[in-house]
Amino acid sequence: MVPVVIELTLKAGRERSVLRRHPWILSGAVAAVEGAEGQEPGGAVRVSSATGKVLGYGHYSPASQIRVRLLSFGAAAPGEGELAARVAAAVARRAGCPLLGETNALRLVNAEGDGLPGLIADRYGDVVVVKLGSAGMQRRRDEIAEALREATGAAAGFERADAAAARREGLPAHQGPLWGEAPAAPVAIRERDREFEVDVVEGQKTGFYLDQRDARDRVAQLAAGRRVLDLFSFTGGFAVAAARGGAEQVTLVESSSSALARAELHMKRNAPAASFECHGEDAFEFARKSERGVYDLIIADPPPMARRRGDVQKASRAYKDLFLHAIGLAAPGARLLFFACSHHVDADLLRKIVFGASVDARRSLRVLGTLGAPVDHPVSLDHPEGEYLRGLLLEL
Ligand code: SAH
């Protein structure tokens, strides 16, 4: 982290969030910056209050609304090997976690949740897929690659471009191998008794929805003898779990033809005798038009609909419409898993939306439980923005 050349001073009274260890300094809180001129973005920065008190150290993002991501708090600067030490610690925590057995695909570094703002690293077998979501992490690409290689012993590391982050940071999106060979074919992974082939180069996120692992386990437990509907199936994570769990029939709906083709392959591989059908269409339309009352287990896992706070109202209406129609497809006694994956739709709002849908559908639902991201996606209490995936398990 040394040498620090950028000095940032906050506006008067804007140190409150830093004192509560929130890792972001937003542009509106900044009074003055010195030493950043002519520098490559992502440099080390010292943050001080308006009265001159040193509050912490971090990485400077000159173009981003999140102007600084803090790595440490207080007057002591982090040492040179701090990033590598945090990467190693994050990997070691997972290795020692009894809840993370039976899978060779997991998140190794979850950004702020692991004290590494801007860094995502997911392991798929012998390949580590990395997203560098801040100027600071991009600038330290080599250091991070080396730390991940060392901590995991994986044969290859691959950087996935993050277009949204690149836009936010005002940097070009970059994609390519970090070490070892670039993965040529999809990477085979195994999660409990489920096998998937993950397209780590082109697939959504880093290739797979690792964050739905616990929910897949639930689906497997609930599926026996049931007619299952997997709305927004992507590559069939839930559908495969349902088939392995003994579902009577599985219906997948997904608008991406490449994802659906892979889902079909996954179904055939994991459950050769399963009865299933794939619908390459709009899931909202499908839910609106399908025959009512025929499914006993329905999963609705739509893409994020409220990326910004200002989108929440519109998103709430879209979620409600989706859930309303999904409820209509449910047979008596059916169980439903409804998800929202936007930070701005919190657990309370999701429950209210589902309640509204149930009132309009004139069907009464019981909440059996809540669902969320598994333990390899930790959320720091200092950074509640890191929480985004909420699910409700309901019963008709
Ligand atoms: N349940 C999946 C992840 C779903 S992510 C899993 O666990 O792996 C949301 C998915 O919805 C994406 O695959 C996206 O391609 C798809 N999608 C987005 N809009 C859609 C629409 N209107 N109709 C159907 N699928 C859609």
Side-chain angles (χ1 to χ4, degrees), residues 204 209 232-234 238 254-256 281-284 301 303:
Q204 293 175 31
Y209 285 81
F232 309 91
S233 70
F234 187 50
F238 287 124
E254 163 64 49
S255 60
S256 152
E281 60 187 279
D282 182 272
F284 295 89
D301 182 22

Side-chain angles (χ1 to χ4, degrees), residues 196 204-205 207-213 215-216 230-239 253-257 259-260 279-286 299-304 339 341:
F196 300 100
Q204 293 175 31
K205 304 249 269 185
F208 196 63
Y209 285 81
L210 294 171
D211 54 1
Q212 289 287 28
R213 185 187 313 110
R216 282 190 285 279
D230 181 5
L231 292 170
F232 309 91
S233 70
F234 187 50
T235 56
F238 287 124
V253 186
E254 163 64 49
S255 60
S256 152
S257 53
L260 197 59
H279 295 261
E281 60 187 279
D282 182 272
F284 295 89
E285 272 304 299
F286 182 94
I299 302 124
D301 182 22
F339 294 97
C341 61

Side-chain angles (χ1 to χ4, degrees), residues 78 231 288 317 324 342 364:
L231 292 170
R288 216 169 281 136
R317 282 196 293 274
L324 167 65
S342 309
S364 179

Side-chain angles (χ1 to χ4, degrees), residues 70-133:
L70 288 161
L71 292 162
S72 71
F73 297 88
E80 188 130 21
E82 185 62 24
L83 284 187
R86 289 190 193 183
V87 166
V91 171
R93 278 195 294 276
R94 271 89 172 159
C97 178
L99 298 175
L100 282 171
E102 294 184 80
T103 181
N104 65 354
L106 73 162
R107 176 148 294 187
L108 296 174
V109 177
N110 194 39
E112 285 85 355
D114 284 297
L116 289 160
L119 179 61
I120 295 287
D122 290 340
R123 179 164 200 156
Y124 296 101
D126 223 10
V127 181
V128 177
V129 184
V130 178
K131 279 196 173 180
L132 303 171

Side-chain angles (χ1 to χ4, degrees), residues 350-368:
L350 175 63
R351 193 181 281 233
K352 284 182 180 136
I353 293 168
V354 173
F355 171 66
S358 79
V359 169
D360 285 10
R362 297 205 183 82
R363 298 181 96 169
S364 179
L365 294 170
R366 280 180 293 279
V367 176
L368 300 186

